[in-house]
Amino acid sequence: MGEVRGGRPVMEVGAFVVYRGRTWQVVAVQGQRVYLLQEDGQEMTLLVGRLFADPGFEVVGGRAPARVPEWGLFETVPVAAQRRALAWLPHIREVETGLPCLPGEAEGVVVRAEYDPARWTLAQRDAAKAREMSALGFGPVTRTTVERMRHAYRRQGLWGLVDKRSARPSSATGRADERVVAAVLEAMRRQRGRSKGTVKGLRVLAGQILEETHGRDVVALPSPATFYRLVNALADPGERPGRPARTATGAGRSVAPLGVVRPGEQVQIDTTRLDVMAVLEDGGLGRPELTIAVDVATRSILAAVLCPAGTKAVDAALLLAEMAVPHPARPTWPAALELSVAAVPYERLLSLDERLEGAAARPVVVPETIVVDRGKVFVSESFVAACETLGISVQPAPPRRPTAKAVVERTFGAINTLFCQHVAGYTGSNVTRRGRDVADEACWTVPQLQDFLDEWIVCGWQRQPHEGLRNPVLPRAPLSPNQAWAALIAMCGYVPLPLTGRDYLELLPVRWHRITERGIRIDHRTYDHEVLDPVRGQSSGVGGRQGRWEVHHNPHDGRQVWIRLPDGELTEIPWIHRDHVHRPFDDCMWRQVRAGVDGHGDRERHEAELADALDQLMRRTRNTAGTLPKKRGRRSPITAPDTAAVLPGA
């Protein structure tokens, strides 16, 4: 059956799985292929990705993988509820493990006798913790309460410790009397189609209706301020005072430690300045920050994020999402990045799974342990809580010990040597190695450098033999990260199930916006779809957000957002000009376009002009086969770096 390693279910040799409605036994796992056998002797060989993609796939007897929690909701609960959940966290850890902190922070911490797992059962430790928390002022805490909180934490992580009563959606009308609500609705119905008056006049009409229905002084009208809020909650956006009214029949708009042998067993994350001068969105020059995640066992660069300055928690969340979710080749990437040119039997693999056409050869790893420095981005509560929910242990590196992250530090040096020096604007490793015309050579923006780096990781780094990677059977031949990844998976005998697309969306940054008649407005961009029709102008019901809706967005691709509708699922909402802009763009590029387009005319025309300017800019960037326009003071044109120039052995 499928065990659980690192918090995620695994498929290993001997397990029974369901594929295409039939039960098979896993007899072997070799690289990216899995061998299945039935009781009648029928055999089948297929790719692991094709097996996981089957709608009816499951590991017989295995626990279903836990879904990523809705972390955007944690911010919606009151601060007191957040603090109480964070206060429960070390107590739950102490009952489970004997230590109130993470393993990486356990230096000097002694296991208390009453919580020693070697001496007491879980039930006994639950009872001891209940007595302690009652004495600390948590209220009357019983053993069953501690047990219930432990199970909730296992299922949902930090979100399971939140008092769900504080997260209940509030009613649009609050505690208003139902008879008053009915009178307000009747008053608005009578006013529909007529000349629009004021809220004060509507209040008088509602009072008359209450008197006619229930008698004089039987039901009191609320105060004017409360009545105004009630009207705003009940009225259609087109019927609110000060706006044109709709008719009654009008329809709404429709250093590698010893023993690391499994991919993902330890992943190291760090941030540094890239040795390339980039053109920033304001036209100035600067060295962007590079944050990477490196798998220690295979030396694979699982994810890399460039930002102009100051890595934020947004970039850390994207890094976590990108390393654990399949990374398809971008439509604009050259053919050199496709699996068809890799050292694999491509035709045979393509006959087994046609989705491999145009795919990128890049590992997908769900980490077991992440080693980070003590920067506030990587030790923040949200990042650590998300890692714990995915079964990932966060291990802070000791202070002033760069050798604790030797693999990622050495990888930074390799990137500067194998990639940066081939890019225009290379600054060298120090000022003594810096050229005189670095400022004149700089011509690439941060998004363009991100594209070059992603291409080089797939076609360069992942295919380059690494002296630190050796096959025990053939120790003289160094392996590439991709080859080591396939070999170690075969040796482990199991493949961790990757995160789903929904999990990736849950890890994206969250914003809160209203849904108007025109859709969702974000930074002069309008996102709209017919699925928003039932909730246009309505309140989300989430307390503390003034009726705004939870919107997830990707800062590196503004062509769509995802909104959580009343059914609880994240639904994709496209930008109204997405069909006009076919390539991803980030916030920096959008701000650059906005700075160059004057806002004149109405809003729709201005947004269309911005979309056209963005498309023209991206076309010029893509179609510059070798030469870019000269900058002020530049004496010679700068040529785009040849892809082959940064490939190993080129």
Side-chain angles (χ1 to χ4, degrees):
M1 55 190 302
E3 299 181 6
V4 178
R5 302 177 188 266
R8 297 290 298 177
V10 300
M11 178 192 68
E12 57 187 351
V13 175
F16 289 88
V17 298
V18 177
Y19 177 66
R20 292 185 176 178
R22 305 174 66 184
T23 302
W24 305 75
Q25 186 177 17
V26 179
V27 296
V29 178
Q30 182 177 7
Q32 301 183 39
R33 291 177 293 180
V34 59
Y35 297 84
L36 305 178
L37 179 68
Q38 279 202 331
E39 294 182 355
D40 58 3
Q42 183 179 356
E43 300 178 357
M44 176 180 293
T45 304
L46 72 163
L47 293 176
V48 173
R50 188 180 184 89
L51 177 64
F52 291 165
D54 182 67
F57 168 78
E58 66 173 333
V59 178
V60 178
R63 191 183 69 179
R67 300 174 67 180
V68 172
E70 303 166 357
W71 289 110
L73 294 179
F74 186 74
E75 301 178 359
T76 67
V77 299
V79 176
Q82 296 182 23
R83 292 177 178 175
R84 184 173 179 83
L86 294 174
W88 268 92
L89 186 57
H91 293 286
I92 296 300
R93 288 174 179 165
E94 189 171 23
V95 173
E96 293 274 1
T97 65
L99 295 173
C101 57
L102 297 175
E105 303 172 352
E107 185 176 357
V109 180
V110 180
V111 178
R112 293 193 288 173
E114 59 268 31
Y115 302 112
D116 189 353
R119 298 176 57 185
W120 308 104
T121 64
L122 262 178
Q124 292 171 325
R125 300 200 299 272
D126 286 340
K129 180 58 68 175
R131 292 191 297 269
E132 177 186 354
M133 296 187 70
S134 298
L136 290 176
F138 278 79
V141 180
T142 63
R143 185 194 65 80
T144 55
T145 301
V146 177
E147 181 181 11
R148 175 175 54 82
M149 297 295 280
R150 280 197 303 103
H151 291 316
Y153 179 73
R154 288 183 179 180
R155 292 192 306 269
Q156 299 177 296
L158 183 61
W159 177 248
L161 303 181
V162 175
D163 186 354
K164 300 304 185 298
R165 293 174 296 180
S166 62
R168 291 175 182 173
S170 58
S171 171
T173 58
R175 300 181 179 179
D177 192 320
E178 294 181 358
R179 296 171 292 182
V180 175
V181 173
V184 173
L185 291 174
E186 175 63 19
M188 290 190 297
R189 188 194 67 79
R190 295 183 184 181
Q191 290 291 102
R192 188 172 297 135
R194 303 180 60 186
S195 297
K196 186 175 295 294
T198 63
V199 180
K200 185 176 181 180
L202 190 66
R203 186 168 184 266
V204 174
L205 178 58
Q208 295 175 355
I209 295 174
L210 286 174
E211 184 177 337
E212 295 171 357
T213 307
H214 305 284
R216 182 184 296 270
D217 299 331
V218 175
V219 180
L221 273 173
S223 66
T226 303
F227 186 84
Y228 293 161
R229 290 194 295 268
L230 187 60
V231 171
N232 287 332
L234 295 175
D236 186 89
E239 297 175 343
R240 290 173 182 169
R243 301 182 184 182
R246 290 164 56 183
T247 62
T249 58
R253 276 192 62 186
S254 308
V255 174
L258 297 177
V260 178
V261 296
R262 297 191 302 274
E265 183 175 358
Q266 184 180 114
V267 174
Q268 297 181 3
I269 298 179
D270 204 359
T271 301
T272 190
R273 290 281 182 181
L274 195 67
D275 288 351
V276 174
M277 197 71 71
V279 180
L280 305 180
E281 62 270 17
D282 59 358
L285 300 178
R287 293 169 55 194
E289 282 192 355
L290 171 64
T291 305
I292 61 174
V294 181
D295 179 42
V296 173
T298 66
R299 302 301 197 273
S300 295
I301 300 179
L302 304 178
V305 175
L306 275 175
C307 60
T311 301
K312 303 178 180 60
V314 168
D315 301 305
L318 287 178
L319 200 75
L320 181 63
E322 287 186 7
M323 75 175 74
V325 175
H327 191 92
R330 298 180 184 175
T332 56
W333 280 2
L337 305 184
E338 297 180 1
L339 191 63
S340 58
V341 298
V344 295
Y346 175 71
E347 298 297 335
R348 174 57 179 162
L349 294 175
L350 186 62
S351 65
L352 296 175
D353 190 351
E354 61 185 12
R355 296 176 302 170
L356 293 177
E357 184 177 1
R362 184 169 178 175
V364 178
V365 174
V366 179
E368 299 179 18
T369 301
I370 291 181
V371 179
V372 299
D373 55 21
R374 295 180 179 269
K376 63 180 181 179
V377 172
F378 299 112
V379 296
S380 62
E381 287 290 344
S382 59
F383 182 78
V384 173
C387 290
E388 288 184 354
T389 302
L390 297 177
I392 302 173
S393 174
V394 179
Q395 178 180 333
R400 296 179 295 279
R401 288 279 301 277
T403 55
K405 305 192 304 320
V407 173
V408 68
E409 297 288 354
R410 184 63 187 89
T411 305
F412 280 133
I415 292 175
N416 289 328
T417 302
L418 301 176
F419 172 75
C420 293
Q421 65 175 332
H422 298 284
V423 180
Y426 175 60
T427 62
S429 57
N430 54 65
V431 293
T432 62
R433 297 175 178 268
R434 186 167 301 174
R436 294 178 299 177
D437 300 324
V438 173
D440 290 337
E441 293 177 0
C443 61
W444 305 115
T445 64
V446 175
Q448 290 171 332
L449 289 177
Q450 180 75 63
D451 288 339
F452 295 154
L453 180 62
D454 289 340
E455 293 176 5
W456 174 78
I457 290 174
V458 176
C459 68
W461 177 264
Q462 291 299 130
R463 300 194 306 177
Q464 180 183 14
H466 195 290
E467 290 297 327
L469 299 175
R470 301 282 176 168
N471 192 322
V473 180
L474 301 172
R476 293 187 178 181
L479 302 178
S480 69
N482 277 346
Q483 292 171 337
W485 177 57
L488 291 181
I489 285 181
M491 293 174 58
C492 292
Y494 65 88
V495 182
L497 304 185
L499 301 183
T500 64
R502 182 191 182 279
D503 296 334
Y504 179 87
L505 297 181
E506 291 288 354
L507 291 173
L508 290 178
V510 179
R511 301 179 62 163
W512 297 86
H513 293 272
R514 299 188 185 277
I515 303 177
T516 66
E517 284 294 301
R518 296 182 177 180
I520 303 172
R521 187 75 170 173
I522 301 178
D523 196 13
H524 294 265
R525 298 190 302 270
T526 303
Y527 299 85
D528 195 16
H529 194 272
E530 60 183 9
V531 298
L532 298 179
D533 290 344
V535 294
R536 293 184 190 275
Q538 303 298 323
S539 171
S540 63
V542 177
R545 289 295 173 176
Q546 293 81 42
R548 295 183 177 91
W549 295 78
E550 180 183 352
V551 178
H552 291 238
H553 68 102
N554 187 345
H556 302 287
D557 188 0
R559 296 176 299 170
Q560 60 278 314
V561 296
W562 294 265
I563 183 171
R564 194 181 304 280
L565 293 177
D567 59 0
E569 296 295 328
L570 291 173
T571 303
E572 179 179 335
I573 307 298
W575 183 29
I576 60 175
H577 295 288
R578 183 171 68 174
D579 294 339
H580 189 54
V581 179
H582 301 285
R583 294 181 60 197
F585 62 94
D586 61 1
D587 294 339
C588 295
M589 182 173 291
W590 179 254
R591 287 195 298 267
Q592 180 181 353
V593 170
R594 283 187 54 198
V597 177
D598 295 332
H600 60 274
D602 56 10
R603 188 172 70 178
E604 290 79 9
R605 180 181 177 184
H606 182 222
E607 185 173 354
E609 292 176 349
L610 289 174
D612 184 70
L614 177 64
D615 180 63
Q616 294 300 324
L617 174 62
M618 301 177 77
R619 286 178 182 270
R620 289 195 303 270
T621 303
R622 183 61 184 168
N623 294 332
T624 51
T627 304
L628 291 177
K630 292 184 180 180
K631 281 188 175 182
R632 181 182 302 175
R634 183 171 293 169
R635 293 174 293 181
S636 61
I638 301 298
T639 57
D642 186 3
T643 304
V646 295
L647 293 178

